[in-house]
Amino acid sequence: MTIQFPQDATPFIASSRNILRSHGIEVTIGSNFEKYSEIIREERKVQNLGAPFNHELQDLQKSDSFWLIGRNERGELIHTQAAKKVPLGGKSLAGHLLRNFRDFPPPIPGVQLSQSRFRATPGAHNIHGHVVYHGEVWMAPEEGRYRGVGLSTVLARTGLLEVLRRWDPDYIYGFMLRTVAFKGFAERMGYMHNEPGALKWAIAGRDKPIEAFLTWLSREDARFLLDIPVEELVSQAA
């Protein structure tokens, strides 16, 4: 199937490639999640592999999932993200997550699933059809080199373009911890809808649960984003 954007995606592809190369970043996309697990275990020690993309827990096929990583000129891992199709079975995302939200825990120790909860947001009630979950987003914590210079904007849109090219879904969604959302990361990622209070995760040893926002895009939102000159977004972020 050929994906038709409001305008040809070639300008975005060329511009993003030039920006990443100017920072010495090489992007690799794959579907072997056993290999991805090894990369995370050996090279991303500050953040565990998320359960939704753990090949030992999930049936992750080439046709319905992929990962994307970025490496610097020294071959060091500086970025990750991953995506997979989520069959809703004719339900809304709200209906699906009421039963299945525990499949998307934060990658931190001590999560108490039985004491955690999902609250359906307005957007979750309206999300139907073909849906993709987008997660595993991480940037190397080198302020001024990888963070704060607009690279997350380019890399996120590279992942969104890959989602559209592979599956052209009706909606793309993810979850974002409140502390991260309040820093404006959802906007830099390009998520145009960011709804608070969706998830409350009980953590052993903590008095208060941690909150996650539901972040999402429609197909039209994603196409709109990819039609914006990425140089402008990077300039603003920088």
Side-chain angles (χ1 to χ4, degrees):
M1 176 173 57
T2 301
I3 307 303
Q4 297 296 329
F5 295 100
Q7 294 182 12
D8 188 6
T10 302
F12 168 80
I13 295 171
S15 297
S16 61
R17 183 184 294 120
N18 290 338
I19 291 168
L20 294 175
R21 284 179 175 173
S22 71
H23 286 81
I25 295 174
E26 184 77 22
V27 168
T28 302
I29 298 173
S31 295
N32 182 336
F33 277 86
E34 184 174 357
K35 178 179 179 180
Y36 180 71
S37 177
E38 293 176 1
I39 293 171
I40 298 306
R41 183 174 61 252
E42 296 174 4
E43 303 182 60
R44 196 184 74 184
K45 299 182 184 299
V46 297
Q47 181 175 313
N48 295 330
L49 175 65
F53 296 101
N54 187 332
H55 72 283
E56 295 180 351
L57 303 175
Q58 312 290 341
D59 182 19
L60 300 165
Q61 301 297 322
K62 183 177 180 179
S63 61
D64 60 22
S65 57
F66 74 88
W67 48 263
L68 181 154
I69 65 171
R71 295 186 181 279
N72 64 17
E73 64 276 6
R74 297 188 299 275
E76 299 166 334
L77 185 71
I78 60 93
H79 174 72
T80 66
Q81 60 179 290
K84 68 175 184 177
K85 294 197 291 185
V86 177
L88 299 185
K91 299 178 182 179
S92 68
L93 182 62
H96 175 79
L97 289 176
L98 283 172
R99 290 180 174 271
N100 299 285
F101 76 91
R102 295 178 183 87
D103 293 342
F104 303 91
I108 60 177
V111 178
Q112 298 179 308
L113 297 178
S114 63
Q115 299 178 40
S116 302
R117 65 97 175 134
F118 166 74
R119 180 184 181 189
T121 63
H125 285 291
N126 294 321
I127 293 175
H128 296 79
H130 298 291
V131 172
V132 167
Y133 172 72
H134 185 211
E136 280 290 296
V137 178
W138 172 81
M139 286 288 295
E142 290 191 33
E143 196 69 33
R145 184 172 187 193
Y146 304 124
R147 296 188 181 186
V149 296
L151 288 176
S152 60
T153 298
V154 179
L155 289 163
R157 282 160 176 74
T158 301
L160 292 175
L161 174 62
E162 186 67 17
V163 169
L164 290 178
R165 292 175 71 176
R166 286 178 179 239
W167 304 310
D168 196 26
D170 298 304
Y171 294 94
I172 305 166
Y173 80 95
F175 298 108
M176 189 169 294
L177 294 181
R178 174 180 172 175
T179 53
V180 178
F182 277 5
K183 295 177 181 179
F185 194 60
E187 286 76 12
R188 292 198 295 275
M189 287 281 293
Y191 277 92
M192 297 173 67
H193 308 275
N194 199 27
E195 301 182 330
L199 290 169
K200 290 288 182 70
W201 296 109
I203 310 296
R206 297 194 186 189
D207 295 333
K208 295 182 179 180
I210 61 173
E211 178 184 346
F213 286 40
L214 173 69
T215 60
W216 59 274
L217 289 163
S218 68
R219 176 193 292 120
E220 291 74 22
D221 292 334
R223 290 176 172 176
F224 175 81
L225 281 171
L226 292 169
D227 202 30
I228 297 174
V230 72
E231 300 93 337
E232 298 178 7
L233 298 169
V234 173
S235 175
Q236 291 171 10

